[in-house]
Amino acid sequence: MSRILIVEDEEAIAELEKDYLELSDYVVDVCTEGTEGLRKAMEEEYDLYILDVMLPGTDGFEICRQIRTEKNAPILMVSARKEDIDKVKGLGLGADDYITKPFSPSELVARVKAHLARYERLVNAANATADDDIIRIRGLKIDKTSHQVWVDGDEKNLTTREYELLSFMAENPNQVFSKEQLFQKIWDMDSVGDIATVTVHIKKIREKIEMNKDKPQYIETVWGVGYRMKI
Ligand code: CA
């Protein structure tokens, strides 16, 4: 059963949110003052936070900022003023969603459900695989156990050689490797082919993982030397 903390000083709104969330089987705590809300947020375990921006005591900006220093659970920011929402976005405080008052309770419940489902998937994925087996470079994720590759959440199908080349470079980020070094590392010395094979494979990998293969974000060409994985 997921636990939700609401920090909202308008009691009628807080009660309405609580009622609707409880109807969906969530366990809900309410704080109507900011400093108390912050204390509860930090001391207890919640699966999701709903924070009003303007609060007596500590405001929603600060509560959001402090939660994010320690916790990964989703944060929904609520405000009657669009300027506040813009400010939260601008400050990059790490909120996951923004809702402008007035909003319909069913809209709130729908968003809560979506964020909790997403968060649960993330937590399960993190638990399922030891961190050592996962390489992450910005949007690129490589699972060394299953040999799967994702870019921004989309799985990419690489051939065995492409996978070996990409994962070798990702495990040695920022190092420049010559085509000769990469060929020796990934291909058997006596295998058919030459260093042009490396160029062909880099091109194919880029077509699969780069948004714009003419401006690679991951595998960078170091002219006259070779390639390196940018971090
Ligand atoms: Ca308020």
Side-chain angles (χ1 to χ4, degrees), residues 137-188:
I137 298 173
R138 285 166 277 120
L140 175 67
K141 179 175 146 191
I142 300 171
D143 185 330
K144 286 161 59 189
T145 308
S146 64
H147 287 205
Q148 285 171 289
V149 174
W150 294 265
V151 178
D152 299 323
D154 291 333
E155 189 173 352
K156 306 292 174 183
N157 288 312
L158 274 66
T159 65
T160 304
R161 291 292 196 216
E162 288 165 3
Y163 170 81
E164 286 173 358
L165 186 54
L166 177 67
S167 61
F168 172 72
M169 295 193 73
E171 282 183 284
N172 299 280
N174 269 355
Q175 285 186 47
V176 182
F177 294 100
S178 68
K179 290 173 192 168
E180 289 82 358
Q181 284 172 320
L182 291 171
F183 186 72
Q184 284 177 13
K185 193 77 205 167
I186 307 300
W187 282 265
D188 300 332

Side-chain angles (χ1 to χ4, degrees), residues 8-10 52-56 78 101:
E8 167 65 69
D9 60 321
E10 287 173 69
D52 184 28
V53 173
M54 288 305 153
L55 291 162
V78 174
K101 289 188 227 177

Side-chain angles (χ1 to χ4, degrees), residues 33-34 39 43 53 82 93-94 97 105 132 191 202 208 212:
E33 196 270 338
R39 189 194 62 74
E43 285 177 8
V53 173
K82 199 184 160 293
L93 296 171
D97 207 350
D132 289 358
S191 78
I202 294 279
K208 292 177 182 180
N212 176 355

